[in-house]
Amino acid sequence: MEMIEPSMIPDGPIIPPSRTKRRIFPADASVILVGCRGAGKRTLGFIAAKHLGRRLVTEDHSFEQSTGCSRAVFLQKYGREAFKQQTAIVLARMIKPNQTNCVIECGTGTLSPVIEEILKGYLETNPIIYIHRDKEDLYKLLKLPVTDAERLLIADQKHRDFSNLEYFNLYDPSGEGQVTEEIPVRSALTSSAKLVDAKQDFKSFLDYIFGHGLTRSWVLNPFSVKAIPPEYRTHTYIFNLRLSTLINTNIDLAILEAPAEAVELIIDTWPNNVLDIIATQVALIRRKLDIPIIYNVEENPREERKRLLEERDAVDLELMLHGLRLGVEYLSLDLERSPQLVSHILATRGRTKIIGNYVAKGLGAPKWTDDFYIERYLYAQRLGCNIVRFARFCAGARDDALRQTFLDRIQALPDPKPCLIAYDYSVFGAVIPFQDKIMNPVGHDSLEKSSREQMAGVSTTRGSLRDVFRKGGLQPLNFYTLGSNVYYSASPSMHRAAYEHYMMPHTFDARRCTTLAEVDRIRQEPGFGGASLTAPFKVAIMDRLDHLSAHAIAIGAVNTLLPLRGETDSILDHANARNRAGVASKFYGDNTDWSSIVTCLRRAISPRNSVQPSRTTGLVIGAGGMARAAVYALIKLGCRMIFIHNRTKSKAEEVARHFNTYALEQKLIRQIDGELICHVIESPSDPWPGSYQQPTMVISCIPASGVDDNPPVDFRMPSQWLKSPTGGVVIELAYEPLITPLVVQIRKIREEGNTSWVIIDGLEVVGEMAMEAFELMTGRQAPRRLMRRVCNETWEKTCAPFQPQR
């Protein structure tokens, strides 16, 4: 292979600068949504406006303001040509004064050259997102004849010419009345909120556009799997998934849950309508697997026809640009492709990280100590690649010593420098056991290896991790749930199932402890991996911890305890020391109770009860550590009127005081007006305060044992506090017994048909808590479907037979 000299790379992209679509925008740039009618622009516009805290500007409203009549009336009155001219005028007047801090929905179903040029003028300054959806869904929605619908879809694809980003609006069935739980005695037998997945998908896409994704994850929790990219973690794996496999097998991606730290989507076939097919698969991967995507357009796929260089570069450039439009996290770019193609991709990559890829093929592949590799690494660095990946063909025994010499040479280079991936491969794929600690290619047990696959052999993430543990690279650890009443905990079975999923030889036990001295003895053990804390330790242990998350400080309680075994004070060093044994001298405390509650509430809040800071009221029963997390969860959802009731009034006042102070510090309320975010309601006989709306979010934090001076478990909610005309959501955090008096009470109200209340039982919340704890403790994505199933099965076997049926 010949070295590509930097002088061969053109100074600029091969298209005019005004059309480069570089995809890096100012933080206040308005988001512009385009696409045909029925694509979902208005709904996504509302989601974007709320997420970004911006004003939604719609072309329909602007048209009516400008002309005094609706678009339909104008069209009927003045004809199509006049309508097109007026639409262009309205669009220009609408965008120009709203170029910042807005979300703009364009009704560009009727396209014209004038409209195209107007939008092209904003390609460099604003994200212009082409929204489209599955054509079958569109047929049903618009109720058009097939010929008209096909004509509409063909015209719709022209939006790609004057947009710089693309979003496939995947169908979301949530909130359509489906039963969310099959266990008859369980409480959560209602439909969920609408568009739960769609909201999360589009919010994540917006975070990518503005570079907020990692920042939000880091602020949420620096130890979360989304806060640290896979190239900066140890023992990470890449699941190779081919487009040809997705097309030919029609597999449900949900069964491949937690397959690796990222998925490499390899474009190895070019069917008709390939751009739409890729957009659909990217959307499905995001929703079903929820891991970063490495987008790889294969130059010479096996079992496909050979292409001439000119055709290959033209087609592959279009496919790569399509990946950038879709906002993939990484793009694998073979740096030995034509200089013009490489230059074009690097100039238009936006926020996508580029993996500079080299494959040393054939029996004559240079040895690792050859200058071939160091020269190409330095070249990739000069180009601005984020990661450099080498795969070297190895016909015989690999030479790890020579490879280590190469790694040492790269390590000696001054920082900053690209991350490095380097491994040998053979005709069977990447040589195992893996030589590298990051981003090794793997397959999946549920998928037969494709005959087209070159790098991912028979290895899987779980098999590779088992090998690492066996060789001592990682060590078995002991994890716990610690508290005074943990005998019925569902957490151990969930964690054990997740360990088995990854073949990690850890243990998880529920250990009864009543004193901090007992907790201290457990956490000082060399094999201590982490613990979930319950009463009475959530508040009491805080003074004994070296570091606390921002959430734990805000709440004033801890539910997750992690040992810090990093050799430095770097969070990254501590994160990469997870799954390693040794006596820990420092400990980290976090609180995930609140985020689990938020997750459950978001799934259940109906559109008519959506949180509005000026109106929505929440009610929390209890004043212990869990009640603190519940108040914090309501605040994070945007609720600014929260009532607390506890048997001991002074404890409720203490919690209210804590969060009123927090609200002032965070400038959520104004001190000069004497505003309060939390109020205490003293007695169950008190009427609901007349100046506040009835609560639509009720969270009962009464432990089954009645400890922490909370109201007893047989506490019954005063009926005068449950008069919301639109119903709401009730979370019952106790789950032993699962059918508490509160659950029975809400069921009765619901069955009487007066209002619609959604019940979330304690088992659902504890499941979310266990999943978050697993990810924090191990640094691995939780196999959520598996853990939910095991949670339900464990409860059915051990507790369900003894539950009251009403």
Side-chain angles (χ1 to χ4, degrees):
M1 288 177 282
E2 297 180 358
M3 178 65 180
I4 300 174
E5 296 298 333
S7 59
M8 297 173 64
I9 300 294
D11 292 333
I14 61 177
I15 53 177
S18 63
R19 299 290 189 254
T20 55
K21 307 177 184 177
R22 295 178 187 276
R23 303 179 185 86
I24 297 290
F25 310 102
D28 62 350
S30 290
V31 175
I32 302 173
L33 307 180
V34 301
C36 74
R37 61 192 178 99
K41 300 188 300 294
R42 180 70 54 86
T43 299
L44 294 176
F46 279 119
I47 292 170
K50 185 172 182 179
H51 181 61
L52 299 174
R54 300 182 177 186
R55 185 165 56 94
L56 177 62
V57 179
T58 69
E59 189 176 323
D60 284 345
H61 180 69
S62 299
F63 192 97
E64 194 158 337
Q65 276 193 322
S66 175
T67 64
C69 64
S70 69
R71 294 158 63 91
V73 170
F74 189 97
L75 176 62
Q76 184 178 23
K77 197 171 182 179
Y78 299 103
R80 185 163 295 277
E81 282 306 312
F83 175 70
K84 285 183 178 180
Q85 293 174 13
Q86 187 62 38
T87 297
I89 293 170
V90 170
L91 184 68
R93 290 177 178 174
M94 177 179 70
I95 296 178
K96 190 170 183 180
N98 295 306
Q99 291 182 61
T100 60
N101 294 312
C102 291
V103 176
I104 302 172
E105 182 224 336
C106 296
T108 49
T110 302
L111 302 174
S112 70
V114 177
I115 289 176
E116 290 182 29
E117 288 304 311
I118 291 171
L119 289 169
K120 284 178 180 178
Y122 294 96
L123 283 173
E124 283 297 298
T125 59
N126 293 82
I128 304 177
I129 309 174
Y130 165 41
I131 308 293
H132 61 117
R133 70 193 313 164
D134 182 76
K135 67 178 183 179
E136 297 298 332
D137 294 338
L138 205 59
Y139 292 163
K140 294 175 185 176
L141 184 68
L142 298 181
K143 299 178 181 178
L144 292 174
V146 173
T147 52
D148 291 350
E150 290 289 351
R151 192 180 304 117
L152 177 66
L153 289 171
I154 292 171
D156 182 50
Q157 292 180 359
K158 287 178 59 68
H159 287 102
R160 288 194 173 109
D161 297 336
F162 49 87
S163 58
N164 43 36
L165 292 158
E166 185 168 328
Y167 181 82
F168 185 82
N169 189 12
L170 198 63
Y171 172 64
D172 184 355
S174 59
E176 294 189 351
Q178 76 276 21
V179 173
T180 59
E181 185 55 63
E182 296 179 354
I183 304 172
V185 76
R186 290 286 301 278
S187 306
L189 292 171
T190 64
S191 61
S192 63
K194 290 184 177 179
L195 304 178
V196 175
D197 293 329
K199 289 177 184 177
Q200 187 55 53
D201 291 347
F202 196 55
K203 289 192 293 185
S204 296
F205 188 72
L206 293 169
D207 286 343
Y208 160 81
I209 292 172
F210 291 106
H212 296 157
L214 280 176
T215 303
R216 287 185 191 274
S217 297
W218 184 272
V219 171
L220 184 65
N221 196 311
F223 285 94
S224 71
V225 293
K226 291 188 177 181
I228 305 174
E231 66 267 29
Y232 293 108
R233 290 147 57 191
T234 57
H235 302 293
T236 53
Y237 303 94
I238 305 303
F239 172 40
N240 281 18
L241 185 61
R242 294 183 165 269
L243 183 62
S244 58
T245 300
L246 292 171
I247 292 173
N248 296 328
T249 62
N250 197 28
I251 190 169
D252 179 6
L253 290 175
I255 70 170
L256 307 178
E257 67 172 347
E261 278 63 48
V263 58
E264 183 152 358
L265 177 61
I266 302 170
I267 311 304
D268 63 343
T269 187
W270 321 287
N272 294 332
N273 209 23
V274 64
L275 299 185
D276 287 343
I277 291 172
I278 292 172
T280 305
Q281 295 302 330
V282 166
L284 284 167
I285 289 170
R286 284 173 169 156
R287 181 169 297 178
K288 302 283 189 176
L289 299 183
D290 193 25
I291 53 178
I293 296 173
I294 301 172
Y295 188 85
N296 183 351
V297 178
E298 204 162 58
E299 186 173 10
N300 294 301
R302 294 177 178 176
E303 303 176 13
E304 291 287 346
R305 65 179 178 84
K306 299 300 180 183
R307 301 172 292 171
L308 296 176
L309 177 62
E310 185 176 347
E311 178 197 359
R312 187 168 67 227
D313 279 0
V315 171
D316 289 359
L317 176 61
E318 182 182 18
L319 292 171
M320 289 183 192
L321 292 174
H322 188 54
L324 296 177
R325 288 171 51 82
L326 293 169
V328 295
E329 290 82 358
Y330 302 85
L331 184 141
S332 175
L333 178 61
D334 187 344
L335 296 184
E336 295 192 323
R337 280 183 177 260
S338 69
Q340 291 81 9
L341 183 149
V342 170
S343 173
H344 195 154
I345 294 302
L346 291 169
T348 59
R349 59 181 166 180
R351 298 190 183 278
T352 296
K353 296 180 183 180
I354 300 297
I355 301 176
N357 202 54
Y358 289 104
V359 180
K361 302 175 181 177
L363 297 174
K367 294 184 178 181
W368 284 114
T369 49
D370 195 294
D371 287 343
F372 170 92
Y373 299 100
I374 194 76
E375 289 171 357
R376 278 153 177 75
Y377 179 88
L378 293 174
Y379 174 54
Q381 183 179 28
R382 289 195 297 273
L383 288 177
C385 294
N386 306 90
I387 302 169
V388 185
R389 178 167 62 180
F390 292 100
R392 172 187 173 273
F393 184 78
C394 175
R398 68 192 198 190
D399 195 329
D400 289 342
L402 294 182
R403 177 181 165 279
Q404 187 59 49
T405 300
F406 166 61
L407 296 182
D408 292 341
R409 291 180 68 186
I410 299 297
Q411 183 62 34
L413 295 174
D415 290 324
K417 54 181 177 284
C419 293
L420 174 65
I421 305 168
Y423 53 79
D424 289 307
Y425 78 99
S426 71
V427 293
F428 301 108
V431 176
I432 54 175
F434 289 125
Q435 299 160 297
D436 222 330
K437 288 188 177 181
I438 65 167
M439 303 179 79
N440 288 296
V442 296
H444 196 283
D445 292 332
S446 298
L447 284 179
E448 184 178 346
K449 182 183 174 182
S450 170
S451 57
R452 300 181 179 218
E453 183 56 52
Q454 301 177 47
M455 293 301 169
V458 296
S459 296
T460 61
T461 295
R462 61 199 306 261
S464 301
L465 280 173
R466 177 179 59 181
D467 189 66
V468 173
F469 275 98
R470 284 177 174 174
K471 288 180 166 56
L474 300 173
Q475 293 85 44
L477 298 176
N478 304 313
F479 296 87
Y480 302 92
T481 287
L482 303 176
S484 59
N485 290 282
V486 294
Y487 64 92
Y488 58 86
S489 175
S491 293
S493 59
M494 298 173 68
H495 283 265
R496 291 168 192 160
Y499 299 153
E500 175 60 27
H501 172 85
Y502 282 110
M503 291 190 176
M504 297 190 295
H506 297 320
T507 66
F508 196 104
D509 294 297
R511 181 75 63 85
R512 184 177 186 275
C513 299
T514 56
T515 66
L516 284 172
E518 293 174 278
V519 176
D520 288 340
R521 282 196 296 272
I522 291 172
R523 67 188 176 112
Q524 293 301 331
E525 296 171 355
F528 175 72
S532 296
L533 302 177
T534 66
F537 302 121
K538 290 189 175 186
V539 177
I541 201 171
M542 292 185 70
D543 292 338
R544 302 191 178 208
L545 303 182
D546 303 278
H547 300 283
L548 295 168
S549 72
H551 303 297
I553 293 171
I555 294 168
V558 164
N559 81 325
T560 304
L561 176 64
L562 299 178
L564 300 178
R565 293 193 173 99
E567 296 179 359
T568 70
D569 288 333
S570 162
I571 289 180
L572 180 60
D573 201 15
H574 289 309
N576 282 330
R578 286 177 290 197
N579 302 295
R580 290 193 174 95
V583 175
S585 60
K586 294 183 178 180
F587 295 87
Y588 174 80
D590 202 350
N591 193 304
T592 61
D593 289 337
W594 75 273
S595 51
S596 301
I597 293 170
V598 164
T599 298
C600 292
L601 283 172
R602 281 180 175 155
R603 281 203 297 255
I605 296 172
S606 66
R608 61 180 177 174
N609 284 328
S610 60
V611 178
Q612 302 176 45
S614 61
R615 301 177 58 191
T616 303
T617 305
L619 172 62
V620 175
I621 306 298
M626 187 61 81
R628 286 171 172 265
V631 173
Y632 187 68
L634 293 174
I635 292 174
K636 285 294 185 180
L637 279 172
C639 184
R640 297 293 177 263
M641 289 170 279
I642 302 167
F643 284 82
I644 304 169
H645 171 69
N646 190 61
R647 184 176 62 181
T648 304
K649 178 186 172 185
S650 60
K651 290 202 171 185
E653 290 174 335
E654 180 185 340
V655 174
R657 205 162 36 244
H658 174 89
F659 283 104
N660 285 328
T661 301
Y662 168 81
L664 281 172
E665 292 171 349
Q666 299 297 313
K667 298 181 180 179
L668 302 177
I669 54 177
R670 294 170 295 184
Q671 190 170 14
I672 54 174
D673 296 338
E675 285 185 87
L676 297 175
I677 205 167
C678 290
H679 313 265
V680 174
I681 188 162
E682 296 185 20
S683 170
S685 61
D686 289 348
W688 189 257
S691 56
Y692 294 90
Q693 287 194 352
Q694 284 274 333
T696 53
M697 294 182 289
V698 179
I699 307 174
S700 174
C701 307
I702 306 168
S705 59
V707 299
D708 261 3
D709 201 29
N710 281 284
V713 74
D714 62 350
F715 171 81
R716 283 167 172 76
M717 192 75 66
S719 59
Q720 68 270 23
W721 298 354
L722 296 172
K723 298 292 186 181
S724 166
T726 57
V729 181
V730 172
I731 295 184
E732 171 59 277
L733 292 174
Y735 67 93
E736 180 51 38
L738 194 67
I739 310 303
T740 64
L742 175 61
V743 168
V744 173
Q745 184 180 6
I746 300 300
R747 277 184 173 181
K748 184 177 180 181
I749 293 174
R750 195 169 67 189
E751 288 166 3
E752 288 173 351
N754 297 326
T755 53
S756 175
W757 286 93
V758 176
I759 305 172
I760 299 174
D761 60 39
L763 207 58
E764 187 172 347
V765 181
V766 82
E768 290 295 329
M769 293 176 185
M771 293 172 211
E772 289 201 40
F774 173 83
E775 294 187 346
L776 292 178
M777 292 174 183
T778 66
R780 300 279 164 193
Q781 185 188 35
R784 291 178 171 266
R785 292 176 73 210
L786 170 65
M787 294 180 77
R788 284 194 188 99
R789 188 180 75 244
V790 170
C791 178
N792 289 335
E793 289 173 354
T794 302
W795 181 83
E796 281 188 275
K797 291 176 184 177
T798 60
C799 302
F802 309 102
Q803 296 293 313
Q805 297 299 302
R806 298 296 300 166

